[in-house]
Amino acid sequence: MDLKSKVAERLIRYAKIMTPSNMESRTVPSSQCQFALARVLVRELREMGVDNAFADDKCYVYAFIPPTEGKEKCPAIGFIAHMDTVSDYTRKQVTPMVWENYDGGDLALPGGRVITAKDFPHISSLAGRTLITTDGNTVLGADDKAGVAEIMTLAEYILQSDIPHGKICIGFTPDEEIGRGSDYFDVEGFGADFAFTVDGGEEGSIEYENFNGADAEFTVHGKGIHPGDAKGIMINASLVAIRINEMIPEDEIPAKTSGYEGFFHLYEIISHVEEAKLRYIVRDHDLEKYRQRLDLLRDIEKTMKETYGDNVVELVIRESYRNMKEKIMPHFHLIENAEKAVSDVGCRPVILPIRGGTDGASLSYRGLPCPNLGTGGYACHGPYEHITAEGMETVVRILLEIVKTYSADSEGVYS
């Protein structure tokens, strides 16, 4: 099988299926369009011979490949990716672009944007590869349809080969981009002893530390009246919203932090005189600092209430996930074996903290240790998103090496 062509073709095909999740929705999944990709994946898995593949009523896709003879006692290894994309830059149809033998320099996209070496210094290292982008008007959706394509290609390769293997569990989730991807994941039914999400950056990256994360929303209820008669009566919700944001430490935002540093990210404002909403994501690797960040938001709410009245400002905090590190450390063979798999395919292992979160973080706390592996993608969540066919092929080979490693454990060493 030509892994490079196969995995690239899958990504391009999946990318054209619109699947943005919707933060405003309270349904599961948050957008019905995600079922379109779920149905495609179930059909393809069944065509491969995985007759047990199905999508449930909440748009989770499950499947497993039974162990080969003599490998029934090996650990069951799972691979998980999410089907949804961010909602930003999704108002137009995704048009993937393929750049054969990319020269490693600045790349002008048809939509007018340019992927520059100044903004993305790594691009020179991609010279000679087959680069996949959009036309510059939308996200590509390689986050995380590249992970989906890589897991699907792994499954197809294993089913067409005679490689001995233990049980392999496959899961695709909705709504990861809005922090709900693991909410209804059936851990017990999934049937894996350990798993990996395939939802990271460059090929060879291995991640087992992530942000503690929460969403926070301030709602300001203003009082509108004709400006000429407003003295002592009007409460301008937009001005109150500005005051709220001014109380956020100005250096603790994504543009001014890196590594293990946490942040407050104001990602949306909806503002009028009568009502305003400020929506933040709050992130920190350190649990105590994370809690202090949430306490700061509560203190801001208290101050606003004291200033404007009890009914003017409301704060709602929804915690999304916790740092998975403490749940991975007792099973550190997952990281060691992933490092070995990366090295065995001729790639360099890169262990970095995630400046975000994955379904695996929540699943780890639900009893399924689940670190994260890179997909080969870059610049996700925006119109500069890009990935290479070669990088995706490497990821498929890394997953295959992980399968081989755990399929050699018939004595339960990793139990």
Side-chain angles (χ1 to χ4, degrees):
M1 180 189 298
D2 182 350
L3 292 179
K4 185 176 81 169
S5 297
K6 180 67 72 169
V7 72
E9 179 274 330
R10 277 199 165 96
L11 170 62
I12 291 168
R13 185 155 44 82
Y14 299 160
K16 294 176 182 178
I17 303 172
M18 302 290 282
T19 58
S21 46
N22 179 7
M23 178 67 80
E24 302 299 319
S25 172
R26 298 272 72 90
T27 64
V28 182
S30 66
S31 56
Q32 290 298 302
C33 60
Q34 296 178 69
F35 275 111
L37 180 54
R39 288 190 289 267
V40 167
L41 298 174
V42 170
R43 184 182 71 246
E44 290 185 12
L45 284 163
R46 290 179 176 173
E47 288 172 352
M48 292 178 198
V50 186
D51 295 334
N52 56 63
F54 72 98
D56 69 12
D57 63 347
K58 292 181 171 59
C59 202
Y60 289 77
V61 175
Y62 302 99
F64 70 89
I65 301 173
T68 53
E69 185 176 354
K71 297 297 179 180
E72 294 85 358
K73 294 183 179 181
C74 295
I77 298 298
F79 297 103
I80 301 167
H82 65 88
M83 297 177 287
D84 65 315
T85 68
V86 292
S87 58
D88 295 337
Y89 300 102
T90 59
R91 292 180 178 86
K92 296 182 179 180
Q93 178 65 41
V94 175
T95 304
M97 306 289 295
V98 178
W99 309 84
E100 300 281 355
N101 197 26
Y102 166 59
D103 66 10
D106 290 358
L107 181 63
L109 303 176
R113 292 183 170 90
V114 181
I115 300 175
T116 67
K118 178 183 177 182
D119 291 334
F120 305 104
H122 67 271
I123 63 172
S124 62
S125 69
L126 306 181
R129 296 188 178 193
T130 299
L131 190 69
I132 303 171
T133 70
T134 70
D135 60 4
N137 291 312
T138 66
V139 295
L140 175 62
D143 179 13
D144 186 29
K145 291 172 183 174
V148 174
E150 288 155 358
I151 293 169
M152 290 289 286
T153 303
L154 169 74
E156 184 178 27
Y157 182 81
I158 286 174
L159 289 164
Q160 291 184 6
S161 73
D162 57 358
I163 298 172
H165 58 80
K167 182 180 180 182
I168 300 169
C169 305
I170 296 167
F172 300 122
T173 65
D175 292 342
E176 191 271 354
E177 294 292 4
I178 57 174
R180 306 176 198 165
S182 65
D183 286 2
Y184 295 92
F185 190 92
D186 183 1
V187 172
E188 183 176 355
F190 185 54
D193 296 306
F194 311 104
F196 293 87
T197 50
V198 187
D199 184 23
E202 66 178 290
E203 63 271 23
S205 61
I206 305 165
E207 300 163 331
Y208 66 95
E209 298 179 80
N210 64 282
F211 279 139
N212 298 288
D215 296 293
E217 179 178 281
F218 284 98
T219 301
V220 183
H221 302 287
K223 184 182 292 185
I225 192 170
H226 190 286
D229 301 316
K231 187 173 182 178
I233 301 173
M234 177 183 283
I235 298 176
N236 189 327
S238 295
L239 295 178
V240 177
I242 290 170
R243 287 200 62 186
I244 289 171
N245 193 63
E246 286 175 343
M247 298 177 75
I248 302 293
E250 64 180 24
D251 289 331
E252 297 182 19
I253 61 175
K256 296 185 177 182
T257 55
S258 62
Y260 287 94
E261 297 170 329
F263 57 74
F264 300 91
H265 174 44
L266 176 62
Y267 68 89
E268 186 174 39
I269 301 175
I270 302 171
S271 186
H272 307 281
V273 172
E274 286 277 344
E275 184 176 89
K277 290 183 181 291
L278 299 95
R279 291 171 175 149
Y280 296 86
I281 60 173
V282 185
R283 302 289 188 263
D284 210 298
H285 278 86
D286 183 275
L287 183 58
E288 183 57 34
K289 292 180 180 178
Y290 165 71
R291 288 171 173 162
Q292 290 171 3
R293 292 184 185 280
L294 299 185
D295 286 342
L296 173 60
L297 297 181
R298 295 183 183 106
D299 288 343
I300 292 172
E301 179 192 29
K302 181 181 178 182
T303 298
M304 293 294 102
K305 287 179 179 294
E306 291 170 349
T307 303
Y308 296 102
D310 285 345
N311 298 321
V312 174
V313 175
E314 300 174 72
L315 169 66
V316 175
I317 294 173
R318 180 182 181 275
E319 298 197 52
S320 303
Y321 41 73
R322 294 270 298 277
N323 190 338
M324 75 175 93
K325 180 179 179 180
E326 68 176 89
K327 299 299 181 181
I328 299 300
M329 292 304 293
H331 309 283
F332 204 69
H333 58 84
L334 292 165
I335 308 307
E336 294 170 335
N337 289 332
E339 284 188 272
K340 182 178 183 299
V342 172
S343 297
D344 285 350
V345 301
C347 196
R348 180 176 64 93
V350 179
I351 298 181
L352 293 170
I354 310 172
R355 287 185 59 77
T358 68
D359 284 335
S362 299
L363 293 173
S364 293
Y365 277 89
R366 292 179 56 196
L368 179 62
C370 192
N372 188 51
L373 303 174
T375 62
Y378 299 90
C380 63
H381 292 198
Y384 301 97
E385 189 178 9
H386 53 280
I387 197 167
T388 69
E390 290 81 359
M392 287 190 290
E393 177 188 10
T394 295
V395 174
V396 176
R397 296 190 183 281
I398 289 169
L399 303 184
L400 181 59
E401 290 302 315
I402 289 172
V403 168
K404 290 178 180 178
T405 295
Y406 285 96
S407 297
D409 180 26
S410 298
E411 303 302 320
V413 173
Y414 299 120
S415 299

